[in-house]
Amino acid sequence: MSVLVETSVGDLVIDLYTKEAPRTCMNFLKLCKIKYYNYTAFHRIERGFIAQAGDPSGGGQSIYGVLGGEPFFPAEIHPKLKHKRGTVSMAVTGEGPGVSGSQFFITLADDLDYLDGRYTIVGQVAEGLDVLEMINSALCDDKYRPLRDILIRHTIILDDPYPDPPGLEAPQSPLPSEERLAEIAMEAGTDLEQVSESESARREREARAQALTLEMIGDLPFAEVKPPENILFVCKLNPVTRDDDLETIFTRFGKILSCQVVRDSVSGDSLGYAFIEFDQKEACEEAYFKMDNVLIDDRRIHVDFSQSVSKLHGKWLQSRVQGKALKMKSRYRDERASSRNERSFDMVFDTSQHSKRTSKR
């Protein structure tokens, strides 16, 4: 008396305790037979504890409820059956004390004897312990919902000792409904490259639009601006650490153009982070790899490449004020801006057409 459960990460073979829990085993077998569990997810996975599934409709009723009878039935507790790794038990619903429906869970560890006597043990995973370990290692959110859905794709009855109850019809592996597909976030085993292409394209379009907006209002010199590759961001500094202290420590990697601990504009106290500008990109990369988590003034610092473009933006603004040349990449400013007022923004339409219109007046 066994069931083959095909999941997104592999197959499980479950041997059922038909003698110890006959009614519960019949319920589980017949739900598998009518493909009740197809395309349902393991909606709760607690690492080292349980993986719970079997609730496609939100109500999680038994085969008897599906056929028009009582949706839930009393638990069948057998004193000789114990919970261990790979044990399949029926979850208890909130409809009453010790009643079961369609939801079940699989234990993911040993030494779970405190579950004994509380839940009906329906079977044991006989094959697929490696698949069980993959389920156990799934990444989940704070509500134990897997970030990538692990689905029960299909169930196959290997041995069924029970006659079918009146009214039961076994379909031939139906396709999932639109409602069921809408509930699936991303199935485990999905080719992430295909999914990520459309998602990355959407994010890239949004980033370009935001950058162009910042360029138009003057917050960026040009939309394609990138952070400088020779500036290091250092944080988690001790408030007593000074600029010259950092410069002395980091100067062994190469020539430093500037080293500045960011301070409060009113009190002058250190804000705990700094920017170090190297003369060469290679020196910045070497400092990044060797100085992260280093102890400075009794503090473990963190270093990363700077993502700020404020220095480039400041140079760009200064060049506009002083009339110095700057390589322009803007789509919304005329390259001949140096011959006119440097502080004014150009119009999007052609200036030659605009001059002809004004001369006609």
Side-chain angles (χ1 to χ4, degrees):
M1 284 62 75
S2 304
V3 177
L4 172 65
V5 179
E6 299 177 0
T7 75
S8 304
V9 294
D11 298 343
L12 299 171
V13 176
I14 301 174
D15 290 342
L16 301 179
Y17 297 123
T18 54
K19 293 183 179 180
E20 292 81 358
R23 192 178 184 193
T24 307
C25 288
M26 177 180 173
N27 170 64
F28 187 78
L29 278 169
K30 300 308 177 183
L31 287 174
C32 291
K33 191 169 186 178
I34 66 172
K35 313 304 178 187
Y36 188 80
Y37 295 128
N38 280 25
Y39 295 97
T40 60
F42 283 89
H43 57 271
R44 184 179 182 88
I45 298 178
E46 298 186 48
R47 184 170 298 181
F49 184 39
I50 63 169
Q52 189 169 344
D55 188 5
S57 62
Q61 58 184 345
S62 67
I63 187 64
Y64 312 109
V66 173
L67 298 176
E70 290 294 328
F72 309 104
F73 60 94
E76 293 178 301
I77 306 297
H78 197 281
K80 292 185 178 180
L81 298 179
K82 305 296 181 181
H83 285 85
K84 56 183 179 180
R85 184 169 179 259
T87 298
V88 183
S89 295
M90 301 303 294
V92 174
T93 71
E95 300 296 326
V99 294
S100 303
S102 67
Q103 286 198 48
F104 65 92
F105 63 86
I106 304 175
T107 54
L108 303 174
D110 294 315
D111 301 325
L112 298 176
D113 52 353
Y114 54 88
L115 300 178
D116 299 340
R118 300 174 59 187
Y119 303 94
T120 302
I121 297 178
V122 67
Q124 180 71 31
V125 174
E127 298 180 24
L129 293 179
D130 56 331
V131 176
L132 207 61
E133 185 57 35
M134 293 178 67
I135 296 175
N136 184 43
S137 61
L139 297 177
C140 303
D141 59 19
D142 55 355
K143 296 182 180 179
Y144 304 106
R145 174 84 186 203
L147 301 180
R148 298 178 64 188
D149 286 334
I150 300 177
L151 303 181
I152 298 175
R153 292 178 174 174
H154 192 52
T155 54
I156 301 174
I157 309 298
L158 302 180
D159 189 9
D160 184 3
Y162 303 105
D164 292 343
L168 187 142
E169 297 181 1
Q172 294 294 325
S173 299
L175 295 174
S177 63
E178 294 183 0
E179 293 79 7
R180 186 70 55 81
L181 289 175
E183 295 174 355
I184 301 173
M186 182 185 296
E187 185 179 1
T190 304
D191 187 0
L192 289 179
E193 292 184 359
Q194 296 179 355
V195 178
S196 61
E197 282 181 3
S198 59
E199 179 66 17
S200 61
R202 182 186 65 82
R203 292 182 178 180
E204 186 176 352
R205 287 195 302 270
E206 291 182 355
R208 281 201 302 265
Q210 293 172 358
L212 286 173
T213 302
L214 292 175
E215 176 189 322
M216 293 173 66
I217 64 177
D219 281 357
L220 285 180
F222 43 87
E224 294 80 8
V225 66
K226 294 182 180 180
E229 298 179 338
N230 63 326
I231 297 181
L232 205 64
F233 171 73
V234 184
C235 62
K236 298 184 179 179
L237 291 173
N238 192 316
V240 301
T241 303
R242 299 176 302 175
D243 302 354
D244 52 353
D245 297 332
L246 282 180
E247 186 171 358
T248 302
I249 294 171
F250 279 85
T251 193
R252 65 189 181 95
F253 298 106
K255 182 180 179 181
I256 294 178
L257 300 180
S258 66
C259 179
Q260 181 181 7
V261 175
V262 180
R263 300 182 179 277
D264 184 89
S265 59
V266 178
S267 64
D269 296 334
S270 170
L271 298 180
Y273 63 94
F275 293 93
I276 304 175
E277 183 179 5
F278 289 88
D279 183 42
Q280 299 293 330
K281 169 187 172 183
E282 292 74 15
C284 184
E285 291 177 348
E286 186 180 0
Y288 167 76
F289 287 114
K290 292 186 178 180
M291 292 302 293
D292 191 33
N293 206 35
V294 169
L295 192 67
I296 297 179
D297 292 332
D298 296 327
R299 290 284 182 89
R300 294 283 179 185
I301 68 169
H302 174 67
V303 298
D304 202 348
F305 294 105
S306 173
Q307 299 300 309
S308 173
V309 296
S310 61
K311 195 174 186 67
L312 293 177
H313 187 225
K315 291 181 179 178
W316 176 70
L317 290 176
Q318 185 179 8
S319 67
R320 293 185 65 211
V321 172
Q322 297 178 355
K324 295 181 180 180
L326 180 70
K327 185 177 180 181
M328 301 291 290
K329 296 183 180 179
S330 172
R331 302 179 190 179
Y332 294 99
R333 299 185 181 91
D334 197 324
E335 293 181 355
R336 297 168 297 174
S338 58
S339 63
R340 297 191 302 271
N341 185 1
E342 295 292 335
R343 298 190 180 185
S344 62
F345 288 95
D346 295 330
M347 298 297 184
V348 177
F349 55 78
D350 190 355
T351 54
S352 60
Q353 295 179 359
H354 177 65
S355 59
K356 290 179 181 179
R357 291 174 185 171
T358 53
S359 60
K360 290 180 179 180
R361 294 178 184 175

